[in-house]
Amino acid sequence: MIGRLNHVAIAVPDLEKATARYHVTLGAEVSEPQPLPDHGVTVVFVQLDNTKIELLHPLGENSPIAAFLARHPDGGIHHLCFEVSDLADAAAKLVATGARVLGDGKPRIGAHGLPVLFLHPKDFDGTLIELEEVKPEMQPA
Amino acid sequence: MIGRLNHVAIAVPDLEKATARYHVTLGAEVSEPQPLPDHGVTVVFVQLDNTKIELLHPLGENSPIAAFLARHPDGGIHHLCFEVSDLADAAAKLVATGARVLGDGKPRIGAHGLPVLFLHPKDFDGTLIELEEVKPEMQPA
């Protein structure tokens, strides 16, 4: 069911410093900061040869990562995002096995403009998992 | 400097259950459990289309992940491993920028039989980073 690891999301307390760590210290290609007010985060994309790191910093009130950073002031890995080709089918299979889909259980539009849902970390070894619907024709060669 | 994300390592309290979550619930290809007594872990490799998840469970006394699981009884993401083509060069550049290499600062042979070193999570937004030397000719096409 799951295909590519789309990204690893890391919540960071200082976006400028975190970007410099990946760009200057580790020598990776990084994007400009991209504010996503609808999602309550500013994101910097770190492009690796086979996947991406997304550095997330809270934006505005009620940011979904503010509580996480309050618990982890140094920052930390927030979630893993796996690609699936059919999110409704994936959700139905997951619910049938007892896995809990967060929120109302319905896909919503994620930060990349594609349907996503999140699975409860208690059901996956303390790991918050995002599933993103990426059609095969959208995948990199 | 960093190239591919080689793997995401997740420490898990129950290897059989964790393997079933990735194989049955998420439909990914998984390996048989591989005991690595020299590294104090049993590993299951979860093969994704572009990278791997490594499910780590403590093996023997003094397992390097036992203390992590004591702090995170549900499990959790333990580290990210990035590939570099020249680990000695990478280590020298990192030390020059003030990043702390764990242990005695010298590469050792990691679980894949290749030279590795670990960087202090306090220097990378609460994320433990492993660097593994993978020569270009060893990389997948």
Side-chain angles (χ1 to χ4, degrees):
Chain A
M1 187 162 75
I2 57 173
R4 297 175 74 255
L5 175 72
N6 185 276
H7 62 268
V8 178
I10 302 177
V12 304
D14 183 322
L15 192 55
E16 197 172 334
K17 280 189 186 167
T19 303
R21 284 180 191 115
Y22 279 87
H23 185 52
V24 180
T25 309
L26 292 175
E29 190 183 324
V30 299
S31 75
E32 291 295 311
Q34 304 195 10
L36 300 172
D38 288 351
H39 297 276
V41 290
T42 302
V43 183
V44 166
F45 298 94
V46 179
Q47 188 63 52
L48 304 176
D49 287 355
N50 58 337
T51 187
K52 290 191 299 287
I53 306 286
E54 295 191 8
L55 304 174
L56 306 180
H57 188 70
L59 176 64
E61 293 178 16
N62 304 317
S63 169
I65 60 162
F68 180 91
L69 277 173
R71 288 197 309 277
H72 304 91
D74 292 329
I77 299 174
H78 185 264
H79 67 264
L80 302 181
C81 175
F82 299 125
E83 297 178 0
V84 296
S85 58
D86 183 333
L87 193 60
D89 177 63
K93 284 182 180 154
L94 284 158
V95 170
T97 64
R100 286 167 285 179
V101 175
L102 296 188
D104 63 5
K106 299 209 173 70
R108 57 183 186 79
I109 297 302
H112 305 152
L114 295 168
V116 301
L117 54 77
F118 284 86
L119 302 174
H120 200 300
K122 289 249 179 204
D123 295 337
F124 290 93
D125 309 291
T127 303
L128 177 61
I129 292 179
E130 179 180 21
L131 296 180
E132 181 175 81
E133 184 171 277
V134 177
K135 298 292 184 193
E137 64 271 20
M138 296 165 62
Q139 300 205 350
Chain B
M1 187 163 71
I2 56 173
R4 298 175 73 254
L5 176 71
N6 185 276
H7 62 267
V8 179
I10 302 178
V12 304
D14 184 322
L15 192 54
E16 196 174 333
K17 280 190 187 166
T19 303
R21 284 179 190 116
Y22 279 87
H23 185 52
V24 181
T25 310
L26 292 174
E29 189 183 325
V30 299
S31 75
E32 291 295 311
Q34 304 195 7
L36 300 172
D38 288 353
H39 297 277
V41 291
T42 301
V43 184
V44 166
F45 297 94
V46 179
Q47 188 62 53
L48 304 175
D49 287 355
N50 59 337
T51 188
K52 289 190 300 286
I53 306 286
E54 296 191 8
L55 304 175
L56 306 180
H57 187 70
L59 176 64
E61 292 177 16
N62 304 314
S63 170
I65 60 163
F68 180 90
L69 278 172
R71 288 198 308 277
H72 305 90
D74 292 330
I77 299 175
H78 185 265
H79 67 263
L80 301 181
C81 175
F82 299 126
E83 297 178 1
V84 298
S85 58
D86 184 333
L87 193 61
D89 178 64
K93 284 182 181 153
L94 284 158
V95 170
T97 64
R100 286 167 286 180
V101 176
L102 296 188
D104 63 5
K106 299 208 173 73
R108 57 182 184 80
I109 299 301
H112 305 151
L114 295 168
V116 301
L117 55 75
F118 284 86
L119 303 174
H120 200 300
K122 289 249 179 203
D123 295 337
F124 290 93
D125 309 290
T127 303
L128 178 61
I129 291 179
E130 179 180 21
L131 297 180
E132 180 176 80
E133 184 171 278
V134 178
K135 299 291 183 193
E137 65 271 19
M138 296 165 60
Q139 301 205 350

PDB file of all heavy atoms in Angstrom, chain A residues 105-117:
ATOM      1  N   GLY A 105     -11.555  11.423  10.566  1.00  0.00           N
ATOM      2  CA  GLY A 105     -11.322  10.206   9.790  1.00  0.00           C
ATOM      3  C   GLY A 105     -11.374  10.414   8.294  1.00  0.00           C
ATOM      4  O   GLY A 105     -11.099   9.498   7.523  1.00  0.00           O
ATOM      5  N   LYS A 106     -11.729  11.644   7.860  1.00  0.00           N
ATOM      6  CA  LYS A 106     -11.838  11.909   6.423  1.00  0.00           C
ATOM      7  C   LYS A 106     -10.568  12.612   5.935  1.00  0.00           C
ATOM      8  O   LYS A 106     -10.001  13.457   6.631  1.00  0.00           O
ATOM      9  CB  LYS A 106     -13.039  12.804   6.148  1.00  0.00           C
ATOM     10  CG  LYS A 106     -14.356  12.182   6.578  1.00  0.00           C
ATOM     11  CD  LYS A 106     -15.498  12.679   5.705  1.00  0.00           C
ATOM     12  CE  LYS A 106     -16.785  11.928   6.011  1.00  0.00           C
ATOM     13  NZ  LYS A 106     -17.341  12.276   7.347  1.00  0.00           N
ATOM     14  N   PRO A 107     -10.129  12.297   4.716  1.00  0.00           N
ATOM     15  CA  PRO A 107      -8.977  13.011   4.159  1.00  0.00           C
ATOM     16  C   PRO A 107      -9.253  14.508   4.085  1.00  0.00           C
ATOM     17  O   PRO A 107     -10.397  14.939   3.890  1.00  0.00           O
ATOM     18  CB  PRO A 107      -8.859  12.424   2.744  1.00  0.00           C
ATOM     19  CG  PRO A 107      -9.491  11.075   2.831  1.00  0.00           C
ATOM     20  CD  PRO A 107     -10.608  11.233   3.823  1.00  0.00           C
ATOM     21  N   ARG A 108      -8.197  15.307   4.286  1.00  0.00           N
ATOM     22  CA  ARG A 108      -8.305  16.744   4.057  1.00  0.00           C
ATOM     23  C   ARG A 108      -7.152  17.145   3.143  1.00  0.00           C
ATOM     24  O   ARG A 108      -6.295  16.326   2.831  1.00  0.00           O
ATOM     25  CB  ARG A 108      -8.283  17.505   5.386  1.00  0.00           C
ATOM     26  CG  ARG A 108      -7.052  17.239   6.214  1.00  0.00           C
ATOM     27  CD  ARG A 108      -7.117  17.953   7.563  1.00  0.00           C
ATOM     28  NE  ARG A 108      -5.864  17.793   8.279  1.00  0.00           N
ATOM     29  CZ  ARG A 108      -4.744  18.498   8.041  1.00  0.00           C
ATOM     30  NH1 ARG A 108      -4.743  19.430   7.101  1.00  0.00           N
ATOM     31  NH2 ARG A 108      -3.646  18.275   8.721  1.00  0.00           N
ATOM     32  N   ILE A 109      -7.167  18.391   2.701  1.00  0.00           N
ATOM     33  CA  ILE A 109      -6.114  18.822   1.780  1.00  0.00           C
ATOM     34  C   ILE A 109      -4.901  19.263   2.593  1.00  0.00           C
ATOM     35  O   ILE A 109      -5.007  20.125   3.458  1.00  0.00           O
ATOM     36  CB  ILE A 109      -6.620  19.946   0.863  1.00  0.00           C
ATOM     37  CG1 ILE A 109      -7.781  19.425  -0.006  1.00  0.00           C
ATOM     38  CG2 ILE A 109      -5.493  20.459  -0.036  1.00  0.00           C
ATOM     39  CD1 ILE A 109      -7.431  18.227  -0.878  1.00  0.00           C
ATOM     40  N   GLY A 110      -3.764  18.642   2.325  1.00  0.00           N
ATOM     41  CA  GLY A 110      -2.556  18.905   3.092  1.00  0.00           C
ATOM     42  C   GLY A 110      -1.745  20.050   2.521  1.00  0.00           C
ATOM     43  O   GLY A 110      -2.170  20.771   1.610  1.00  0.00           O
ATOM     44  N   ALA A 111      -0.550  20.204   3.068  1.00  0.00           N
ATOM     45  CA  ALA A 111       0.288  21.359   2.760  1.00  0.00           C
ATOM     46  C   ALA A 111       0.793  21.355   1.312  1.00  0.00           C
ATOM     47  O   ALA A 111       1.203  22.396   0.794  1.00  0.00           O
ATOM     48  CB  ALA A 111       1.473  21.406   3.734  1.00  0.00           C
ATOM     49  N   HIS A 112       0.761  20.189   0.643  1.00  0.00           N
ATOM     50  CA  HIS A 112       1.199  20.137  -0.760  1.00  0.00           C
ATOM     51  C   HIS A 112       0.018  20.265  -1.726  1.00  0.00           C
ATOM     52  O   HIS A 112       0.182  20.059  -2.933  1.00  0.00           O
ATOM     53  CB  HIS A 112       1.907  18.813  -1.051  1.00  0.00           C
ATOM     54  CG  HIS A 112       3.057  18.504  -0.139  1.00  0.00           C
ATOM     55  ND1 HIS A 112       3.460  17.229   0.159  1.00  0.00           N
ATOM     56  CD2 HIS A 112       3.900  19.322   0.547  1.00  0.00           C
ATOM     57  CE1 HIS A 112       4.503  17.268   0.993  1.00  0.00           C
ATOM     58  NE2 HIS A 112       4.773  18.530   1.257  1.00  0.00           N
ATOM     59  N   GLY A 113      -1.199  20.537  -1.168  1.00  0.00           N
ATOM     60  CA  GLY A 113      -2.379  20.645  -2.027  1.00  0.00           C
ATOM     61  C   GLY A 113      -2.947  19.292  -2.423  1.00  0.00           C
ATOM     62  O   GLY A 113      -3.767  19.203  -3.344  1.00  0.00           O
ATOM     63  N   LEU A 114      -2.546  18.237  -1.727  1.00  0.00           N
ATOM     64  CA  LEU A 114      -3.012  16.878  -2.039  1.00  0.00           C
ATOM     65  C   LEU A 114      -3.748  16.320  -0.831  1.00  0.00           C
ATOM     66  O   LEU A 114      -3.506  16.750   0.299  1.00  0.00           O
ATOM     67  CB  LEU A 114      -1.805  15.980  -2.359  1.00  0.00           C
ATOM     68  CG  LEU A 114      -1.027  16.360  -3.620  1.00  0.00           C
ATOM     69  CD1 LEU A 114       0.295  15.608  -3.684  1.00  0.00           C
ATOM     70  CD2 LEU A 114      -1.870  16.084  -4.866  1.00  0.00           C
ATOM     71  N   PRO A 115      -4.638  15.331  -1.035  1.00  0.00           N
ATOM     72  CA  PRO A 115      -5.370  14.764   0.111  1.00  0.00           C
ATOM     73  C   PRO A 115      -4.423  14.020   1.057  1.00  0.00           C
ATOM     74  O   PRO A 115      -3.554  13.278   0.612  1.00  0.00           O
ATOM     75  CB  PRO A 115      -6.353  13.778  -0.548  1.00  0.00           C
ATOM     76  CG  PRO A 115      -6.398  14.152  -1.993  1.00  0.00           C
ATOM     77  CD  PRO A 115      -5.060  14.743  -2.319  1.00  0.00           C
ATOM     78  N   VAL A 116      -4.627  14.241   2.350  1.00  0.00           N
ATOM     79  CA  VAL A 116      -3.805  13.581   3.379  1.00  0.00           C
ATOM     80  C   VAL A 116      -4.681  13.128   4.528  1.00  0.00           C
ATOM     81  O   VAL A 116      -5.798  13.615   4.711  1.00  0.00           O
ATOM     82  CB  VAL A 116      -2.716  14.526   3.968  1.00  0.00           C
ATOM     83  CG1 VAL A 116      -1.783  15.038   2.885  1.00  0.00           C
ATOM     84  CG2 VAL A 116      -3.326  15.685   4.752  1.00  0.00           C
ATOM     85  N   LEU A 117      -4.158  12.203   5.311  1.00  0.00           N
ATOM     86  CA  LEU A 117      -4.719  11.920   6.625  1.00  0.00           C
ATOM     87  C   LEU A 117      -3.581  11.495   7.532  1.00  0.00           C
ATOM     88  O   LEU A 117      -2.495  11.135   7.073  1.00  0.00           O
ATOM     89  CB  LEU A 117      -5.838  10.881   6.573  1.00  0.00           C
ATOM     90  CG  LEU A 117      -5.616   9.527   5.932  1.00  0.00           C
ATOM     91  CD1 LEU A 117      -4.812   8.621   6.849  1.00  0.00           C
ATOM     92  CD2 LEU A 117      -6.965   8.882   5.641  1.00  0.00           C
TER      93      LEU A 117
END
